[in-house]
Structure formats: structure tokens, C-alpha cells
Amino acid sequence: MSLLKKTNGESTEVKDARAFFDEERALSFGDRFLRAVNVLFALLLLVQLLPNHNSLNPRTAYLVGFALILEAVVLIVSALAKGKAGHTLFVDIISFLYGLLIVWTLATAKFNWLKESLFPPPGRIFYQFLDDGVKLLVHAGSSLAIILEGYALGLVIAIPLGLFLGWSARLGSAATYISKFFGSIPPIVYIPYGIALLPTFRSVSVFVIFLAAFWPAFAGTMSGVLHVEKKIVDSARVLNVKKFTMLFKVILPAALPEIFLGCNQGLGVSFILLTSAEMIGASRGIGFYVKQYSDFGDYTRTIVGLIVIGIVVVLITMLFNKLQRYLLRWKR
């Protein structure tokens, strides 16, 4: 038995040494700077040397400038990277972006496979980003303000209400079915009533976002409360914890995983509904920007607006996920 333990101990030490050695290899010069992403960058630059077959000015200089800046970021991140997993994920994303730009350039500016009025070359997209930079910031700021206002209002009401109703088995059971009913109704159908009842279209948008955030967060909170382990509640009762402290110091932290599930669902739906609402009757916002220029057949700006929407959603989702990991750090 002792020999077996010794053998197992040596095996563990060998595994630890191999893992350390692999981590050191992940930080080698070749793995940092001689990767597929660097090859794709060089290929993207070489593709620009091909003759253009597009009647529009492809604005190649803007594409090359973007690629140079992006490659500089890749080199800096690669030089400073300490972990293999994070570095690999980053360069894989950039590699995909380079590959997309190569295919996009070939299909538009170089061989004109796609209709140029609908699919402009990527250089024109980057040029339009710079040309409309201030305008895009204004529209994005308007959209973010509405999202934050409606979403925060929804969570501030949904989470405490879900805690109190979920704590009561009788009320919680009834409220669960009510939330399923109202949560199944798309909030966008309330826009006509909002326009008739509320003073401005901005307030209508905030109301729609509020509904989009409220019902998933409310349902997630009640579900989290109902599924808190009984031994946690019993332990708190043994200590004579008051009801308010029980709800917000014991039940709320234990229910956070399911609460975040509902909040994540509400966040995704909020962006979809806001863009839809802005395309219906807003006077500013990213959805309005896309609708306005698509109506005039300006698909360069339409694509720019779509890309901005994607960037904003990804950034907000990343920040929300960081907050989630921080508040749920006790689970690790």
C-alpha cells in the first residue's frame, strides 16, 4: 500500500512538472509571434495588391490602416500574455476577423462577386466609421441611456418583489404562473398602448425595455428563492435571523445564480426590442440610424450600424458577465 501511495505521489509530481513545462512552452517565442494570425495578416495585405474590379472607391488605405492597428494590438497582447487559454482565444478571434476581411475583400473590391450597392468593400466601411464617428457616438449613447434606464428600473422592482413573493409558498406558486403568462407576451406589442398613454417615444422605449427586463428577472428570482437549499434556511432560523436579513443576506445570495439567468435573458431581449422600437418611431438611436439609411439605400451606413449594434451588445454582455463572476465568486 505504501509503495502504491509512493507511486501515486510520484505520478502526481510528474504530472505537475509536465503541466508547468507545458505552461512554459505556451510562453515561448514561437507560440507568441509565429501563429496563423500573423500569416493571415500578411495574406490580407497581399490581397490588397490585386487589381480592383469595383466601380466604387474601395478605400483600401482605411482597411490597411485598420489591419496595421489590429496587428499592433495582437503583437502587444502576445508579448504581455501570461496564460495560454486567454491568449489562444484572443488570437483565434482575430484570425477569424482577418479571414472574414480577406473573403470580404475578394468578393467585393477584387472580383465583384457581390452586388456592390448592397455589399461595399470593407475599406469603405472603415472610412464610414471614421466619417460618422461623432454621429454614431450620439446614437449609441442614446440607445445605451434607454437600455440602462429601463433595464435598471426592471431589476430594481423585479428582484425585491420576486424575493418577497417567492418566500411565500402560496403566493410564489400563483405568481409563477402569472409571470409565465405575462412573460410569454412579447413586450413590443405594448408599443401602441405606450404611444397612446406616454408623452414621448423615449418613455415608450424605456417602458418596453422595463417589461423585457422585469419578467425574466422576476421569474428567475422567484425560481431561485424556491430552490434555495432547505438546510441554509434552517441554519439561519436557528440563529434567529430577522425576515429582512433572511431575505437579503441569506436568500438573495443563495438565489443569485438563477437570478442572473433571468437577468441575462432580459438583457438580450432588451437590445433586440430597443433596436426594433427605434426602427419604428424614434428620432435617434442605433436602430433609427440603421432604418434611416436603409430607407435611402445607403447600405454602407446600414452595415456600419449593424456592426455598432454588435459591438455595443458584446461590450455590455462582457461587463455584465464580469459583474456576475464577481458576485458569484463564492461558488468557485
Side-chain angles (χ1 to χ4, degrees):
M1 180 66 70
S2 61
L3 179 61
L4 179 60
K5 289 182 179 180
K6 183 178 180 181
T7 303
N8 290 338
E10 290 176 352
S11 176
T12 303
E13 291 176 0
V14 171
K15 290 179 180 178
D16 291 341
R18 184 178 294 116
F20 176 78
F21 180 70
D22 290 341
E23 186 65 22
E24 287 297 314
R25 287 186 59 188
L27 301 176
S28 66
F29 179 85
D31 286 337
R32 286 180 185 271
F33 302 108
L34 301 178
R35 301 178 67 102
V37 65
N38 307 112
V39 177
L40 288 171
F41 166 71
L43 184 59
L44 177 61
L45 295 184
L46 291 174
V47 165
Q48 308 311 314
L49 300 178
L50 295 173
N52 294 318
H53 293 84
N54 195 291
S55 61
L56 297 173
N57 184 354
R59 305 281 186 180
T60 303
Y62 288 89
L63 173 58
V64 172
F66 173 79
L68 290 172
I69 294 173
L70 191 58
E71 184 64 14
V73 173
V74 170
L75 294 176
I76 292 172
V77 172
S78 298
L80 300 177
K82 296 181 179 179
K84 180 179 179 180
H87 179 243
T88 300
L89 176 62
F90 175 75
V91 297
D92 285 347
I93 293 173
I94 302 302
S95 297
F96 174 81
L97 181 56
Y98 282 155
L100 176 63
L101 290 175
I102 290 171
V103 174
W104 190 352
T105 302
L106 292 174
T108 54
K110 302 306 176 183
F111 298 115
N112 201 21
W113 291 333
L114 301 175
K115 190 175 181 179
E116 62 184 55
S117 61
L118 294 177
F119 301 97
R124 294 189 60 85
I125 301 298
F126 295 121
Y127 165 78
Q128 203 64 63
F129 259 109
L130 296 177
D131 193 49
D132 285 359
V134 176
K135 186 186 300 184
L136 289 168
L137 287 176
V138 171
H139 287 297
S142 175
S143 297
L144 285 175
I146 293 174
I147 281 282
L148 292 177
E149 188 174 341
Y151 188 74
L153 184 62
L155 297 191
V156 166
I157 297 176
I159 293 176
L161 186 61
L163 284 174
F164 284 106
L165 293 180
W167 180 244
S168 171
R170 182 176 178 180
L171 291 176
S173 299
T176 298
Y177 288 98
I178 293 173
S179 67
K180 288 181 179 179
F181 173 79
F182 285 104
S184 64
I185 301 174
I188 199 170
V189 302
Y190 294 107
I191 288 181
Y193 291 96
I195 293 175
L197 298 173
L198 297 173
T200 64
F201 193 83
R202 187 184 187 282
S203 60
V204 175
S205 300
V206 172
F207 174 66
V208 170
I209 300 305
F210 165 78
L211 293 177
F214 177 84
W215 291 114
F218 179 66
T221 302
M222 286 200 305
S223 177
V225 172
L226 293 172
H227 290 91
V228 172
E229 293 184 23
K230 189 175 182 297
K231 62 182 181 180
I232 295 177
V233 178
D234 292 339
S235 299
R237 282 174 173 164
V238 169
L239 298 174
N240 293 321
V241 174
K242 295 181 180 179
K243 184 176 180 180
F244 183 86
T245 304
M246 172 75 80
L247 286 175
F248 290 94
K249 298 292 186 180
V250 179
I251 302 298
L252 177 60
L256 274 179
E258 293 199 48
I259 292 175
F260 270 111
L261 287 177
C263 292
N264 270 308
Q265 180 183 352
L267 185 63
V269 175
S270 295
F271 278 107
I272 296 173
L273 292 177
L274 175 64
T275 305
S276 302
E278 288 176 339
M279 295 180 74
I280 292 175
S283 60
R284 63 173 54 187
I286 297 299
F288 168 76
Y289 178 92
V290 171
K291 181 67 165 59
Q292 180 188 31
Y293 288 111
S294 64
D295 287 344
F296 288 102
D298 189 346
Y299 289 98
T300 299
R301 285 187 169 93
T302 300
I303 294 175
V304 168
L306 296 177
I307 294 173
V308 170
I309 291 173
I311 292 173
V312 170
V313 171
V314 169
L315 291 178
I316 295 297
T317 303
M318 288 175 60
L319 292 174
F320 189 83
N321 289 338
K322 283 185 176 293
L323 175 64
Q324 178 177 343
R325 286 195 296 270
Y326 175 76
L327 294 179
L328 296 181
R329 62 190 183 280
W330 53 270
K331 289 193 67 177
R332 293 178 292 184

